[in-house]
Amino acid sequence: MKTIKNPPIKEWTSICKRATFDQGNLEKKVITILEDVKQNKNEALIRYTELFDRVELSSVEVTNEEIALAKTLVSEELQEAIQLAKSNIGMFHASQKEQETKVETTRGITCWRKSVAIDKVGLYIPGGTAPLFSTILMLGIPAKIAGCKEIVLCTPPNVKGEIDPAILYTASLVGVTKIFKVGGAQAIAAMAYGTETVPKVYKILGPGNQYVTKAKELVQQDGVAIDMPAGPSEVLVIADETSNPGFIAADLLSQAEHGEDSQVVLVGTDESVIEQVNNELKLQLNLLDRKEIAEKALGNSFSVVLNSKEQCIEFSNVYAPEHLIIASLEPFNYIEGITNAGSVFLGNYSCESAGDYASGTNHTLPTNGCAKNYSGVSLDSFVKKITFQEVTQQGILNIGNAIELMAEAEGLQAHKNAVTIRLKEINNV
Amino acid sequence: MKTIKNPPIKEWTSICKRATFDQGNLEKKVITILEDVKQNKNEALIRYTELFDRVELSSVEVTNEEIALAKTLVSEELQEAIQLAKSNIGMFHASQKEQETKVETTRGITCWRKSVAIDKVGLYIPGGTAPLFSTILMLGIPAKIAGCKEIVLCTPPNVKGEIDPAILYTASLVGVTKIFKVGGAQAIAAMAYGTETVPKVYKILGPGNQYVTKAKELVQQDGVAIDMPAGPSEVLVIADETSNPGFIAADLLSQAEHGEDSQVVLVGTDESVIEQVNNELKLQLNLLDRKEIAEKALGNSFSVVLNSKEQCIEFSNVYAPEHLIIASLEPFNYIEGITNAGSVFLGNYSCESAGDYASGTNHTLPTNGCAKNYSGVSLDSFVKKITFQEVTQQGILNIGNAIELMAEAEGLQAHKNAVTIRLKEINNV
């Protein structure tokens, strides 16, 4: 990783800019798939699955038998690990339930809001080399706690037309209601528009490649909500003289192994710590199965040496990292200043993997600087907050005149009349 | 309004479908404006303002002198009304502050989240025949309570290059930091990309015409967040034998006067109440300044007679109205069943105008069925919720093994290593 020493503040924004990728005619391709699935439904799904996943399916829906079989194929050890993660994630997300608080804003006027589950949600779980069952925990658990009635999951099958048992086991454990063997933009289309077997959902969540991401972006225009814009994963570590360079290197690599387009950033005031981390990186990198991926990701990555802890935090706020690790014995000194980050890991033992799997926080987080304006997935992602108000006779007497004046000033006479007719009725009684 | 009697449930979805409008080459036009402003900044803003608002400005920024003058031009009565509204809206939105709750998910692992303001937000206030200062209250007050540092407001000037004094007064009252005389897609572009004088913001909120809406949709693809998709305003009223038909007619008209494309829906079990409302509508309509607009909106509107209160609520959930009025002496009987609505008005004295201006709830709400998957604007709209976790030595000892197993099963060795290196260090101590 290259090291940038004391860059002037005016250069921070450009240093923090993520790489952009040429999308070519991605949008056109994705629109074609979306339209095709909208028109031809299951037939199109089966056709695309044959084309992209190289397997001819007779049906896209996973059967109960397949789910029952999967349970026998997941080791007891792994089942227990998944259950422990479920317990922690469940506890933290359950704590996010909002209490209804009634507020009397004026005598006779009470306002409150109520969280109500989004009825039908769709979860997308990417395929590829590894079965990302942890993402099912992160999306399915809050969906269930929120009370979503229909929780649909789409994930691409392998060439044998199968889904990894750990995926099926986890989906069943968290209460996913229907699982489909469909991946890519066609899966997003199926959940956005519905097919003969895939239910139409109101919100789609989950990570994916550029096709999936573009498809999610496009179906928004048809009224389907999505979790957030997605980009390559990233971590920023703030190190100080109390950090453990070996731990930091391991954390940077755990981010770097995600993909060649991942980015890791190391920020600190102490050049020798940064040097030590770089040395550790070389040692640890060589032992990785995914060495080539991680090596390429490190090529897009960098360290920054700055003058003070305050500057480190400020730089991090400009970068707005998905994951922020405060690798310090005294991480609480840093908290106050953090304004832009997805999830923050405090202290030398809070590795990013802990949050990726089992600490309890969600790992579906804003990337690409979106931590400036988006939150990660939480219980909030699965509910709408409906506001209620009760205005009594007393209430309308207290604010009616103000409403009449404001409505009149806005040129909205009928808005005014709706108050006037009530005030007249009250005064005549 | 036409009346639909006991439609079968399978027809409800199509009855509830909102009208769609041919967008023609709207997107192309808007992309041209966005690109132009991105390139040419203030020069483009001034050029478009001359073209669309028919005034040549030397500067788009509102001066302190203009703001000071505005205060002298707003009547004391109206100032007091606006202040009363501000107080109620402020009280309700302040109650939405989330307390940080630390949760120990496993011994040695603590998770919590912290709401942090989005640093820079942009508010769009439409121009047109009336000065919509009430929307400034709805957007500016929660922005200020959240702690947004930069609150930018764009609104189109009149042909004299002026902004309505009530707009300037309200913006200044709620703490807007900068006001610009720019409207339309060019205003959205200015706030999304920044110009020499308009700051680039991270999130844009507020209603607008189809150009503004399309521009907001498009700048999302450049990482700018928006409040929600926008469509024509709408209300659904559930009436029963305890309703006041005159009040209901007034409420329907207050919605209908918004625009020709507004929709109002009346649902009930009692045909005679619906008839009475229709009679009242005719009487009250004739007295309105905006009669023509309201009349056209009523042409797109309808009443539905159903068999039971439960069916009325179910129909309303399928429609998912922006505003839902329960025009009944016993509105609380209905609450439990409501799953899809933006804001709900309970009882005969809770007119929609109350929520539009001064009850305390927000009037920026999901339309076009989006109440199924979106919340209205609230304090949440102006913050990100950052998660934090502290994993101690004890904590990583408790969940480390589970993380190792899960990371291994996902094929992510470096994720596993980040735990292993820590467990080793702890056990060697």
Side-chain angles (χ1 to χ4, degrees):
Chain A
M1 293 205 299
K2 62 172 180 279
T3 299
I4 309 168
K5 289 185 195 167
N6 291 309
I9 294 176
K10 67 176 194 301
E11 285 174 17
W12 289 8
T13 305
S14 70
I15 294 170
C16 290
K17 209 160 204 160
R18 314 302 198 270
T20 51
F21 299 90
D22 180 20
Q23 297 203 325
N25 53 359
L26 176 68
E27 183 162 326
K28 234 184 195 163
K29 282 186 199 164
V30 171
I31 288 175
T32 306
I33 296 174
L34 294 180
E35 285 303 319
D36 193 351
V37 174
K38 204 173 181 177
Q39 291 298 317
N40 302 305
K41 303 181 196 281
N42 280 353
E43 183 273 315
L45 294 185
I46 284 171
R47 184 159 30 81
Y48 282 116
T49 305
E50 195 174 351
L51 180 66
F52 296 129
D53 305 301
R54 279 162 297 152
V55 55
E56 205 187 327
L57 298 175
S58 55
S59 159
V60 291
E61 187 164 1
V62 171
T63 63
N64 288 335
E65 291 68 40
E66 287 174 284
I67 294 169
L69 177 65
K71 205 186 155 175
T72 68
L73 298 174
V74 177
S75 76
E76 212 157 296
E77 258 189 323
L78 183 58
Q79 290 192 22
E80 279 167 18
I82 292 173
Q83 285 163 22
L84 180 145
K86 175 173 182 275
S87 158
N88 287 355
I89 297 163
M91 197 184 298
F92 184 53
H93 287 78
S95 79
Q96 294 163 5
K97 276 186 199 168
E98 193 180 273
Q99 297 305 315
E100 275 175 46
T101 312
K102 293 199 175 185
V103 180
E104 192 172 40
T105 54
T106 288
R107 192 89 177 268
I109 300 177
T110 312
C111 302
W112 67 99
R113 54 181 193 168
K114 184 179 170 183
S115 294
V116 179
I118 297 174
D119 230 25
K120 301 175 186 190
V121 297
L123 316 182
Y124 185 77
I125 304 296
T129 48
L132 298 180
F133 56 83
S134 61
T135 302
I136 304 176
L137 296 172
M138 297 298 173
L139 301 176
I141 293 170
K144 196 72 191 173
I145 293 172
C148 302
K149 284 190 202 116
E150 183 106 66
I151 306 172
V152 174
L153 187 150
C154 285
T155 191
N158 65 18
V159 288
K160 292 183 193 159
E162 296 163 347
I163 307 288
D164 189 281
I167 296 261
L168 295 182
Y169 168 74
T170 309
S172 159
L173 180 73
V174 302
V176 165
T177 47
K178 279 180 178 159
I179 308 170
F180 298 96
K181 299 173 182 174
V182 196
Q186 60 272 23
I188 303 304
M191 296 192 280
Y193 307 121
T195 74
E196 299 88 342
T197 52
V198 183
K200 172 180 165 48
V201 302
Y202 302 140
K203 185 166 188 171
I204 299 174
L205 304 97
N209 63 18
Q210 52 179 356
Y211 289 89
V212 169
T213 300
K214 179 55 79 178
K216 283 171 66 186
E217 189 182 299
L218 290 168
V219 298
Q220 268 192 293
Q221 297 175 21
D222 291 319
V224 179
I226 66 168
D227 43 2
M228 71 191 86
S233 197
E234 62 204 23
V235 68
L236 185 146
V237 179
I238 297 182
D240 66 18
E241 57 290 352
T242 66
S243 306
N244 180 317
F247 292 1
I248 294 179
D251 291 338
L252 296 177
L253 289 172
S254 77
Q255 190 55 55
E257 77 172 340
H258 268 300
E260 295 175 2
D261 52 6
S262 291
Q263 190 173 61
V264 308
V265 180
L266 175 59
V267 183
T269 54
D270 189 328
E271 263 192 82
S272 71
V273 174
I274 289 176
E275 251 172 58
Q276 289 172 59
V277 172
N278 271 300
N279 291 336
E280 278 283 341
L281 274 177
K282 279 172 210 146
L283 296 173
Q284 293 185 27
L285 179 65
N286 280 319
L287 306 171
L288 291 185
D289 295 338
R290 295 167 74 96
K291 182 185 164 186
E292 272 180 46
I293 292 173
E295 207 160 18
K296 286 210 177 124
L298 291 179
N300 317 323
S301 299
F302 58 90
S303 308
V304 187
V305 183
L306 294 165
N307 283 324
S308 66
K309 287 185 185 181
E310 291 68 33
Q311 278 209 328
C312 293
I313 288 288
E314 253 333 293
F315 185 88
S316 171
N317 288 335
V318 172
Y319 187 84
E322 180 189 12
H323 305 95
L324 169 60
I325 300 178
I326 309 289
S328 167
L329 282 179
E330 290 181 336
F332 285 84
N333 292 346
Y334 291 85
I335 290 184
E336 217 31 62
I338 299 169
T339 57
N340 299 322
S343 192
V344 184
F345 299 77
L346 298 168
N348 290 333
Y349 294 94
S350 299
C351 49
E352 192 201 303
S353 322
D356 286 340
Y357 290 107
S359 66
T361 58
N362 208 291
H363 78 200
T364 309
L365 296 165
T367 53
N368 196 19
C370 284
K372 290 193 178 86
N373 45 9
Y374 288 90
S375 309
V377 165
S378 72
L379 195 65
D380 296 348
S381 312
F382 298 91
V383 299
K384 304 96 55 177
K385 296 186 181 174
I386 303 177
T387 52
F388 287 82
Q389 59 235 283
E390 193 197 11
V391 181
T392 62
Q393 286 196 5
Q394 181 64 52
I396 201 72
L397 282 172
N398 284 334
I399 66 166
N401 191 237
I403 300 171
E404 288 178 314
L405 279 163
M406 292 171 76
E408 194 163 12
E410 287 196 349
L412 296 172
Q413 188 196 1
H415 281 65
K416 180 184 174 184
N417 285 353
V419 172
T420 311
I421 192 173
R422 286 167 166 95
L423 292 180
K424 272 191 188 159
E425 192 253 15
I426 295 170
N427 291 326
N428 282 345
V429 165
Chain B
M1 293 205 299
K2 63 172 180 279
T3 300
I4 309 169
K5 288 185 195 167
N6 291 307
I9 293 176
K10 67 176 193 302
E11 284 174 19
W12 289 9
T13 306
S14 68
I15 294 171
C16 291
K17 208 159 204 160
R18 314 304 198 269
T20 50
F21 299 90
D22 181 21
Q23 296 203 324
N25 54 357
L26 176 67
E27 183 163 326
K28 235 185 196 161
K29 282 188 201 163
V30 171
I31 288 175
T32 307
I33 296 173
L34 294 180
E35 286 303 320
D36 192 351
V37 174
K38 205 172 178 176
Q39 291 298 318
N40 301 305
K41 303 179 197 281
N42 280 353
E43 182 274 313
L45 294 185
I46 284 171
R47 183 159 32 81
Y48 282 116
T49 305
E50 195 174 350
L51 181 66
F52 296 130
D53 305 302
R54 279 163 296 154
V55 55
E56 205 186 327
L57 299 176
S58 54
S59 158
V60 291
E61 188 165 1
V62 171
T63 63
N64 288 336
E65 290 68 38
E66 287 175 282
I67 295 170
L69 176 65
K71 207 186 154 177
T72 68
L73 299 174
V74 177
S75 75
E76 212 158 295
E77 260 190 322
L78 183 58
Q79 290 193 21
E80 280 167 17
I82 292 172
Q83 285 163 22
L84 181 144
K86 176 172 180 275
S87 159
N88 288 353
I89 296 162
M91 197 183 298
F92 185 52
H93 287 77
S95 80
Q96 294 163 6
K97 276 187 199 166
E98 195 180 272
Q99 297 304 315
E100 275 176 46
T101 312
K102 294 199 176 185
V103 179
E104 192 171 40
T105 55
T106 288
R107 193 87 177 269
I109 301 178
T110 312
C111 303
W112 67 99
R113 55 181 192 169
K114 183 178 170 183
S115 294
V116 180
I118 297 174
D119 231 25
K120 300 175 188 192
V121 296
L123 317 182
Y124 185 78
I125 303 296
T129 48
L132 298 180
F133 56 84
S134 60
T135 301
I136 304 176
L137 296 171
M138 297 298 173
L139 301 175
I141 292 171
K144 196 72 191 172
I145 293 173
C148 302
K149 283 189 205 119
E150 183 106 68
I151 307 172
V152 174
L153 188 151
C154 285
T155 191
N158 65 19
V159 288
K160 293 183 193 156
E162 297 162 345
I163 307 288
D164 189 281
I167 297 261
L168 296 182
Y169 168 74
T170 310
S172 159
L173 181 72
V174 302
V176 165
T177 47
K178 278 178 179 161
I179 308 170
F180 297 96
K181 298 174 183 175
V182 196
Q186 59 274 22
I188 304 305
M191 295 192 280
Y193 307 121
T195 73
E196 298 89 342
T197 52
V198 183
K200 172 182 164 48
V201 302
Y202 303 140
K203 186 165 187 171
I204 298 175
L205 304 98
N209 64 16
Q210 53 178 354
Y211 289 89
V212 169
T213 300
K214 180 54 80 180
K216 283 171 65 185
E217 189 182 298
L218 290 168
V219 297
Q220 267 193 292
Q221 297 176 21
D222 291 318
V224 180
I226 66 168
D227 44 0
M228 71 191 87
S233 197
E234 61 205 23
V235 68
L236 186 147
V237 179
I238 297 181
D240 67 17
E241 56 290 353
T242 65
S243 305
N244 180 317
F247 292 0
I248 294 179
D251 291 337
L252 296 177
L253 288 173
S254 77
Q255 189 55 53
E257 77 171 339
H258 267 300
E260 293 175 2
D261 53 4
S262 291
Q263 190 173 61
V264 309
V265 179
L266 175 61
V267 182
T269 54
D270 190 328
E271 264 191 80
S272 71
V273 174
I274 290 176
E275 250 172 59
Q276 289 172 58
V277 173
N278 272 300
N279 291 336
E280 279 283 340
L281 274 176
K282 280 171 210 149
L283 295 174
Q284 294 185 25
L285 180 64
N286 280 319
L287 307 171
L288 291 185
D289 295 340
R290 295 168 74 98
K291 181 184 165 186
E292 271 179 48
I293 292 173
E295 206 160 18
K296 285 210 178 124
L298 291 179
N300 317 323
S301 300
F302 59 90
S303 308
V304 188
V305 183
L306 293 165
N307 283 324
S308 66
K309 288 184 184 182
E310 291 68 34
Q311 277 208 329
C312 294
I313 288 288
E314 253 335 291
F315 185 88
S316 171
N317 288 334
V318 172
Y319 187 84
E322 180 189 12
H323 305 96
L324 169 59
I325 300 178
I326 310 289
S328 166
L329 282 179
E330 290 181 335
F332 285 84
N333 292 345
Y334 291 86
I335 290 185
E336 216 32 62
I338 299 169
T339 57
N340 299 322
S343 192
V344 184
F345 298 78
L346 299 168
N348 290 333
Y349 294 93
S350 299
C351 49
E352 193 202 302
S353 323
D356 286 341
Y357 290 106
S359 66
T361 59
N362 209 291
H363 79 199
T364 309
L365 297 166
T367 53
N368 195 19
C370 283
K372 291 193 178 84
N373 45 8
Y374 287 90
S375 309
V377 165
S378 72
L379 195 65
D380 297 347
S381 312
F382 298 91
V383 300
K384 304 96 54 180
K385 296 186 181 174
I386 303 178
T387 51
F388 287 82
Q389 57 236 284
E390 192 197 12
V391 182
T392 62
Q393 286 195 6
Q394 182 64 51
I396 201 73
L397 282 171
N398 284 334
I399 67 165
N401 192 236
I403 299 172
E404 288 178 315
L405 279 163
M406 292 171 76
E408 193 164 15
E410 287 195 349
L412 296 171
Q413 189 195 1
H415 281 65
K416 180 183 175 184
N417 286 352
V419 172
T420 310
I421 193 173
R422 285 166 165 97
L423 292 179
K424 272 190 187 157
E425 193 252 16
I426 295 170
N427 291 323
N428 281 346
V429 164

